[in-house]
Amino acid sequence: MNKKLTPLKENFSAWYNELVKQADLAEPTAPRGAMIIKPYGYALWEAVKNLLDQKIKETGHQNAYFPLLIPASYFAKEEDHIQGFAKECAIVTHYRLTTHADGKGIMLDPNARLESPLVVRPTSETIIWESFRKWIQSYRDLPMLINQWANVVRWEMRTRPFLRTSEFLWQEGHTAHNTREEALDHAHQMLQVYCDIIRNELAIPLIEGEKTAHERFAGAEATYTMEALMQDGKALQLGTSHFLGQNFAKAFDVRFVNQEGALTHVWGTSWGITTRLIGALIMVHGDDQGLTIPPRIAPIQVVVIPVFRSGTSQEILIEKATSIRKTLASHGIRVKLDQRDTHQPGWKFHEYEKKGVPLRLVLGPRDLANHTIEMLRRDTGEKRVISLDRLVSVVEEQLIAIQDNLYKRALAFQKKSIHYVDHLDQLQNIMQRDRGFVMAHWDGTTATEEAIKQMTQATIRCIPFDSSEEAGRCIYTRKSSQRRVLFATAY
Amino acid sequence: MNKKLTPLKENFSAWYNELVKQADLAEPTAPRGAMIIKPYGYALWEAVKNLLDQKIKETGHQNAYFPLLIPASYFAKEEDHIQGFAKECAIVTHYRLTTHADGKGIMLDPNARLESPLVVRPTSETIIWESFRKWIQSYRDLPMLINQWANVVRWEMRTRPFLRTSEFLWQEGHTAHNTREEALDHAHQMLQVYCDIIRNELAIPLIEGEKTAHERFAGAEATYTMEALMQDGKALQLGTSHFLGQNFAKAFDVRFVNQEGALTHVWGTSWGITTRLIGALIMVHGDDQGLTIPPRIAPIQVVVIPVFRSGTSQEILIEKATSIRKTLASHGIRVKLDQRDTHQPGWKFHEYEKKGVPLRLVLGPRDLANHTIEMLRRDTGEKRVISLDRLVSVVEEQLIAIQDNLYKRALAFQKKSIHYVDHLDQLQNIMQRDRGFVMAHWDGTTATEEAIKQMTQATIRCIPFDSSEEAGRCIYTRKSSQRRVLFATAY
């Protein structure tokens, strides 16, 4: 059975949840707020992971692995950090279960209580900086460039697959540097690595900038972010890169002897992206028919479906379809042949449409005679019959065109949705109607930021890097301001 | 400073721990029993992971990701399973920490106790079979072939880096099948996939067979294993593949409509290998100078070290060394150039020797004139001066030769260490002296197996697949036996 999705414009949240389920990306499961990432969803994550892992290595980092369970006392060392994270952790207190006295069911073994509790990592700064203290003695040990692929747990009250789950997968980079300037540059460089992949491979337009003090990572001196606009007009933060200053170096006493022989604290950065990117992909490129995956990260770029009609030879059709699959695969195209006879062609069409496969090729009996195949573009719905002689070049060209079109379409939507406003009521109106990105003046205080959020639900997503100087007045206090900042209602 | 390792024959355990530290593979850390896998150790794991992931996909499996935290009640569903695993789990009972009333330090928030505890997964059968119930309805859904790369936690009392740690990384395959035969075949097939990689890539000889009922996985009908012999004469289990019968299908009520329209339970398998493989690599191929890594999985296959002497041009030497690095890299050889001037050549020689880099190339001023380079094999210590004209072919040939030699050397040791005995005192003597593998008759009962362990410390590692029928008498009870089984003291 192929069920239709609730239309995106009717109920975005229902559309999203149905799409995640119907495209077989993930499903919610116990415990509350957790999800299973199903094979098709995981293949998307693997595509992102492979691309990013290569870039992380090319920029000089090495992967390592640190423990999942962190002594609670580590979190107490950096004051802001504990404030920011202690409220949402899973805590291990026991190391054994035992069966009930009546032999039915199981319970905590009261004799197996840990002397001090362990935190399931919500992020790994504490344990990594604890190691940096041991690993770093001299300027020769710097820069220390470490990355970890891992799962983390944060206790969330309101969850949604990919966007906010109690456990998620991510990559967390942690680095230590000789100078403030080098660390600052590094934090910027890694944000740029993310942006390049997200723009070029995921085809998602971004606005980059710095977070306000209020939205900064707990323990950072500066947090850089990339924000994207979803089709419901809400913003999603896709990843952050933090300049930690010497905060963690001081909290964990990480010092080194510099070139001049002086003992001094190192400078740090940390940066991460998560499985949330899959959520962004859905909300930026999806439509009422389902997902649309940018070809460069599509697990399946092309699906080939043979369509039998009574009286024609199935064998010849499958033979031809197989040879088409092989030809495309030999050119490095990720192609799947679906020749199952347990499902009808119509069912298959819907299936790959929902799953967002960029190109569909349908081979029917008539094509055999004509040496042709029917091609359908997922992004535009455009259908063409093409000659098999030109198959590879047309497919390659179309995959590039789809990638290009998805980015342009999303960029056009983003541009159309950026509003420049000078008064609070305008921001209020926009947030009550279509939402979107709003560029407006702000007086630079947390009090104003919070007041505006109270009244409009919009938060400051970032102070965009490319926001030029412009004299103006704060939309709330009318105090003077030197540049506009980016407001939006956020996930 | 380059410290010498304790000789392997003097104190194997000290040698192992020192090697892990000095080769920069891993280090113990809080909490008790945990380790940090350092970049060089993690690169070894990545090499194993990449090879195996490809094979797992080629054999039709898809990767997915299931939650880390599993409701404790799930474990109660399969009776043997809970008996086998409940004793060694990390249990999450709270979801928040709070600061002490005095503002100093942190404590559990008594108001944030979970209604029912969550287990940090020691293995994922329970949550995966819970999903299989929802995913499997018809024979069309079978076989269901799922794999997961994940971290797991088992509370261990006596730990050692890579061999036994409270948390480790692994891959766990979980499959469901139409018939008993297909599931049995699959369990065997996946063991063979492991064996191929471990023999051909890790150069470790194996003995494969079935575990006795006593040593079987909690919840399996049959457990297949591969056992390797370490240089101290102890055995290490390198991975297992389980035929689960219908145990989990019944415990989690996973039924399907078969081709004949009847509703019946599926048949299951599960199989895994872990970061323990890195420990095996060390204990099979290491020596008093450090690690020796088989070229096929070596993160660095060749290191190039330029040696400056006063009066010669550093620039020309580095230029030449760089061109050598590029030439080798362009032929797909994993090569590193170490041109740091912060370390002496002697220090570097020791460093890469400890790290087990298969080939070392040293370029000195005389080589520039002679168009030569000095090559040292890590496995044999053989040193040769070779012409740069033949560099690529000699390096390629030597890498193959080293891979081959490591396997042959380990196989010779294994063969020399297999004893056929017919009396208990012989087994006792062997286990008190050099240990090794012992093939002996056993009456097939758990009672005898336990008695023999009591008296000799040796356990039955497996009933080897290639153990041929042979009438004999149990070394303990003198009852009749049809085949010999493999005894050893195990890690």
Side-chain angles (χ1 to χ4, degrees):
Chain A
M1 246 303 282
N2 276 286
K3 273 190 287 189
K4 273 203 174 245
L5 298 173
T6 296
L8 179 157
K9 285 199 197 301
E10 192 180 302
N11 183 338
F12 194 78
S13 166
W15 167 84
Y16 178 86
N17 290 335
E18 289 167 22
L19 193 157
V20 166
K21 186 173 157 47
Q22 290 193 34
D24 223 15
L25 296 169
E27 65 186 38
T29 185
R32 203 188 49 71
M35 70 168 168
I36 294 165
I37 306 179
K38 298 189 75 175
Y40 195 59
Y42 197 80
L44 282 173
W45 176 239
E46 277 184 322
V48 171
K49 191 177 162 178
N50 291 339
L51 286 165
L52 183 57
D53 189 64
Q54 197 186 326
K55 288 281 176 201
I56 286 175
K57 285 172 178 158
E58 280 171 15
T59 43
H61 305 82
Q62 292 184 298
N63 286 336
Y65 187 76
F66 294 80
L68 170 75
L69 304 178
I70 301 178
S73 58
Y74 285 22
F75 282 82
K77 292 196 183 186
E78 215 288 337
E79 211 169 315
D80 292 336
H81 197 65
I82 181 68
Q83 293 304 331
F85 281 102
K87 284 162 194 153
E88 41 175 1
C89 294
I91 320 286
V92 173
T93 57
H94 290 71
Y95 58 86
R96 196 184 299 137
L97 289 170
T98 188
T99 38
H100 272 294
D102 63 4
K104 283 183 184 134
I106 46 180
M107 53 178 274
L108 284 175
D109 185 337
N111 300 320
R113 194 184 168 87
L114 291 171
E115 273 178 43
S116 42
L118 299 172
V119 177
V120 180
R121 65 177 161 227
T123 181
S124 302
E125 273 78 5
T126 57
I127 191 152
I128 290 181
W129 281 87
E130 184 74 20
S131 302
F132 279 1
R133 184 179 58 247
K134 296 173 209 156
W135 298 354
I136 298 169
Q137 271 96 41
S138 139
Y139 69 92
R140 289 187 196 86
D141 302 320
L142 297 175
M144 178 71 69
L145 307 175
I146 296 290
N147 179 60
Q148 168 169 274
W149 291 96
N151 53 343
V152 288
V153 173
R154 297 177 185 179
W155 215 258
E156 300 282 357
M157 283 302 135
R158 294 166 59 190
T159 61
R160 182 179 281 192
F162 294 116
L163 298 180
R164 196 176 288 278
T165 47
S166 59
E167 179 189 7
F168 57 86
L169 303 181
W170 79 345
Q171 149 283 315
E172 49 180 323
H174 298 273
T175 70
H177 304 263
N178 213 313
T179 63
R180 177 188 173 86
E181 195 174 37
E182 190 186 302
L184 255 172
D185 282 354
H186 200 77
H188 279 287
Q189 182 195 359
M190 295 319 293
L191 188 80
Q192 212 45 62
V193 164
Y194 291 153
C195 288
D196 287 350
I197 287 179
I198 295 173
R199 284 203 180 93
N200 300 333
E201 314 284 341
L202 277 69
I204 297 178
L206 297 168
I207 294 183
E208 302 115 274
E210 184 171 345
K211 287 282 183 195
T212 62
H214 187 53
E215 298 269 336
R216 204 178 276 156
F217 174 73
E221 271 194 27
T223 287
Y224 308 114
T225 181
M226 23 187 201
E227 304 282 327
L229 193 65
M230 307 298 107
Q231 289 181 77
D232 63 348
K234 286 169 80 173
L236 186 68
Q237 170 184 309
L238 292 196
T240 46
S241 181
H242 314 294
F243 167 60
L244 303 175
Q246 294 181 313
N247 291 344
F248 282 89
K250 285 177 178 165
F252 288 87
D253 195 27
V254 183
R255 290 182 291 175
F256 74 107
V257 177
N258 67 16
Q259 279 95 327
E260 289 76 42
L263 193 64
T264 173
H265 286 106
V266 300
W267 299 84
T269 83
S270 69
W271 27 275
I273 58 99
T274 78
T275 32
R276 164 176 271 205
L277 284 180
I278 313 300
L281 207 64
I282 298 167
M283 294 196 292
V284 169
H285 299 306
D287 61 24
D288 288 347
Q289 279 67 54
L291 195 56
T292 309
I293 307 184
R296 293 175 69 114
I297 60 148
I300 307 167
Q301 295 177 311
V302 180
V303 62
V304 180
I305 302 173
V307 173
F308 316 115
R309 293 221 170 73
S310 54
T312 63
S313 163
Q314 242 181 258
E315 235 171 77
I316 298 175
L317 208 58
I318 286 185
E319 199 179 290
K320 188 72 195 168
T322 304
S323 113
I324 288 169
R325 185 192 65 73
K326 281 186 186 159
T327 304
L328 291 173
S330 75
H331 283 79
I333 294 163
R334 295 187 289 276
V335 54
K336 177 178 172 169
L337 166 62
D338 188 345
Q339 58 178 70
R340 288 177 295 174
D341 56 8
T342 45
H343 297 81
Q344 293 297 317
W347 186 95
K348 292 181 187 175
F349 296 170
H350 280 293
E351 177 72 5
Y352 297 103
E353 196 173 35
K354 274 188 310 197
K355 290 195 164 172
V357 173
L359 276 182
R360 181 182 89 194
L361 298 175
V362 176
L363 189 75
R366 212 184 316 166
D367 292 310
L368 280 186
N370 299 346
H371 196 57
T372 55
I373 197 161
E374 185 195 87
M375 182 180 72
L376 177 86
R377 266 178 73 157
R378 174 65 183 86
D379 62 333
T380 58
E382 184 200 351
K383 209 185 266 184
R384 282 164 63 185
V385 173
I386 58 171
S387 161
L388 285 178
D389 293 335
R390 297 188 51 236
L391 179 68
V392 174
S393 64
V394 171
V395 164
E396 282 175 341
E397 169 196 302
Q398 288 298 304
L399 290 175
I400 292 171
I402 295 171
Q403 182 81 27
D404 198 43
N405 180 47
L406 288 178
Y407 185 73
K408 280 195 184 136
R409 200 162 75 179
L411 187 64
F413 174 75
Q414 191 212 68
K415 286 201 167 152
K416 175 185 92 169
S417 312
I418 300 184
H419 310 276
Y420 285 74
V421 311
D422 295 312
H423 298 281
L424 187 64
D425 59 346
Q426 293 173 297
L427 178 62
Q428 272 173 320
N429 282 340
I430 290 168
M431 290 304 142
Q432 275 161 23
R433 292 207 321 264
D434 297 339
R435 292 188 289 247
F437 280 150
V438 170
M439 292 287 287
H441 283 281
W442 160 65
D443 66 12
T445 69
T446 297
T448 298
E449 196 175 351
E450 286 180 330
I452 293 175
K453 184 179 179 185
Q454 278 279 320
M455 303 182 71
T456 66
Q457 294 200 309
T459 51
I460 301 177
R461 303 318 304 149
C462 68
I463 305 156
F465 291 141
D466 63 2
S467 160
S468 49
E469 273 205 38
E470 176 198 309
R473 297 204 164 274
C474 172
I475 53 169
Y476 183 66
T477 60
R478 310 314 297 169
K479 285 185 189 156
S480 75
S481 149
Q482 295 313 309
R483 56 171 30 88
R484 290 174 188 270
V485 298
L486 185 72
F487 285 90
T489 311
Y491 274 93
Chain B
M1 245 305 283
N2 275 287
K3 271 190 288 188
K4 273 203 174 249
L5 298 172
T6 296
L8 179 156
K9 286 201 195 302
E10 192 180 302
N11 183 339
F12 194 78
S13 166
W15 167 83
Y16 179 85
N17 290 335
E18 289 167 20
L19 193 158
V20 166
K21 185 172 157 47
Q22 289 193 34
D24 222 17
L25 297 168
E27 64 184 39
T29 184
R32 205 187 49 70
M35 70 168 167
I36 294 165
I37 306 179
K38 297 189 77 176
Y40 195 59
Y42 196 82
L44 283 172
W45 176 240
E46 277 185 322
V48 172
K49 191 176 164 180
N50 291 339
L51 286 164
L52 183 58
D53 190 64
Q54 195 186 328
K55 289 279 177 204
I56 287 175
K57 285 172 178 159
E58 279 171 16
T59 44
H61 304 82
Q62 292 184 297
N63 287 336
Y65 188 77
F66 294 80
L68 169 75
L69 303 177
I70 301 177
S73 59
Y74 285 21
F75 282 84
K77 292 196 179 185
E78 215 289 337
E79 210 169 316
D80 293 336
H81 196 63
I82 180 69
Q83 293 305 332
F85 281 102
K87 283 162 195 154
E88 40 175 1
C89 294
I91 320 288
V92 173
T93 57
H94 290 71
Y95 57 86
R96 196 184 300 136
L97 290 171
T98 187
T99 38
H100 272 293
D102 63 4
K104 286 189 183 125
I106 46 180
M107 54 177 275
L108 285 175
D109 184 338
N111 300 321
R113 196 185 167 88
L114 291 170
E115 273 179 42
S116 42
L118 300 172
V119 177
V120 180
R121 67 179 160 224
T123 180
S124 302
E125 273 78 6
T126 57
I127 191 150
I128 290 181
W129 280 87
E130 183 74 21
S131 302
F132 278 2
R133 183 176 61 247
K134 298 172 210 157
W135 298 353
I136 298 169
Q137 271 97 42
S138 141
Y139 68 91
R140 289 186 196 89
D141 303 320
L142 297 175
M144 178 71 70
L145 307 174
I146 295 289
N147 179 62
Q148 167 169 275
W149 291 96
N151 53 343
V152 289
V153 173
R154 298 178 185 180
W155 215 257
E156 300 283 358
M157 283 301 135
R158 293 166 58 189
T159 60
R160 183 179 282 190
F162 294 116
L163 299 179
R164 198 175 287 277
T165 46
S166 58
E167 179 188 6
F168 56 86
L169 302 182
W170 79 345
Q171 149 283 317
E172 49 179 324
H174 298 273
T175 70
H177 304 264
N178 213 312
T179 65
R180 177 187 172 86
E181 197 174 35
E182 190 186 300
L184 255 172
D185 282 353
H186 199 78
H188 279 288
Q189 183 195 358
M190 294 320 292
L191 189 79
Q192 213 44 61
V193 164
Y194 291 154
C195 289
D196 288 349
I197 287 178
I198 294 172
R199 283 202 180 92
N200 300 333
E201 315 282 341
L202 277 68
I204 297 177
L206 298 167
I207 293 184
E208 300 115 273
E210 185 172 345
K211 287 282 182 195
T212 64
H214 187 54
E215 298 268 338
R216 205 178 276 157
F217 174 73
E221 272 194 24
T223 288
Y224 308 115
T225 180
M226 22 187 202
E227 304 281 329
L229 194 64
M230 306 299 106
Q231 289 182 74
D232 63 348
K234 286 169 82 172
L236 186 68
Q237 171 183 310
L238 293 196
T240 47
S241 180
H242 314 293
F243 168 60
L244 303 175
Q246 294 180 313
N247 290 345
F248 282 88
K250 285 177 178 164
F252 288 87
D253 195 26
V254 182
R255 291 182 291 176
F256 74 106
V257 178
N258 68 17
Q259 278 94 329
E260 288 75 43
L263 194 63
T264 173
H265 285 106
V266 301
W267 300 83
T269 82
S270 68
W271 25 278
I273 57 100
T274 78
T275 32
R276 164 177 269 206
L277 284 181
I278 313 300
L281 207 66
I282 298 167
M283 294 196 292
V284 168
H285 299 307
D287 62 21
D288 288 346
Q289 278 67 53
L291 194 57
T292 309
I293 307 183
R296 293 174 69 115
I297 60 146
I300 307 168
Q301 295 177 311
V302 180
V303 62
V304 180
I305 302 174
V307 173
F308 315 115
R309 290 216 173 78
S310 53
T312 63
S313 162
Q314 242 181 259
E315 234 171 79
I316 298 174
L317 208 60
I318 287 185
E319 197 179 292
K320 188 73 193 169
T322 304
S323 113
I324 289 169
R325 185 192 65 72
K326 282 187 187 159
T327 304
L328 292 172
S330 75
H331 283 80
I333 295 163
R334 294 186 290 277
V335 54
K336 177 179 173 170
L337 166 62
D338 188 346
Q339 57 179 68
R340 288 178 294 175
D341 57 8
T342 44
H343 297 81
Q344 292 296 319
W347 187 94
K348 293 181 186 175
F349 296 170
H350 280 292
E351 177 71 7
Y352 296 104
E353 194 173 37
K354 274 189 310 196
K355 290 195 163 171
V357 173
L359 276 182
R360 180 183 89 195
L361 298 175
V362 176
L363 188 75
R366 213 183 317 167
D367 291 310
L368 280 186
N370 299 346
H371 196 59
T372 56
I373 197 162
E374 185 195 87
M375 182 181 74
L376 177 86
R377 266 177 73 157
R378 175 63 184 86
D379 61 333
T380 58
E382 186 199 349
K383 207 185 270 184
R384 282 164 62 186
V385 172
I386 58 171
S387 161
L388 284 179
D389 292 335
R390 296 187 52 237
L391 179 68
V392 174
S393 64
V394 171
V395 164
E396 282 174 342
E397 170 198 303
Q398 288 298 304
L399 290 175
I400 292 170
I402 295 171
Q403 182 81 26
D404 197 46
N405 180 49
L406 288 178
Y407 185 73
K408 281 195 182 137
R409 200 164 74 178
L411 187 64
F413 175 76
Q414 190 212 68
K415 287 202 165 150
K416 176 187 90 167
S417 312
I418 300 184
H419 311 276
Y420 285 74
V421 311
D422 293 313
H423 298 281
L424 186 64
D425 58 347
Q426 295 172 295
L427 178 62
Q428 271 172 320
N429 282 338
I430 290 169
M431 290 303 144
Q432 275 160 23
R433 290 206 323 262
D434 295 341
R435 294 188 286 250
F437 281 150
V438 170
M439 291 289 286
H441 283 282
W442 161 64
D443 67 11
T445 69
T446 298
T448 298
E449 196 175 352
E450 285 181 329
I452 292 175
K453 184 180 178 183
Q454 278 277 319
M455 302 181 71
T456 66
Q457 294 201 306
T459 52
I460 301 178
R461 303 317 304 149
C462 68
I463 305 156
F465 291 140
D466 64 1
S467 161
S468 49
E469 274 207 36
E470 176 198 309
R473 296 204 166 275
C474 172
I475 53 169
Y476 183 67
T477 60
R478 310 312 299 171
K479 286 185 188 156
S480 74
S481 149
Q482 295 314 307
R483 54 171 33 88
R484 292 175 186 268
V485 298
L486 185 72
F487 285 92
T489 311
Y491 274 93

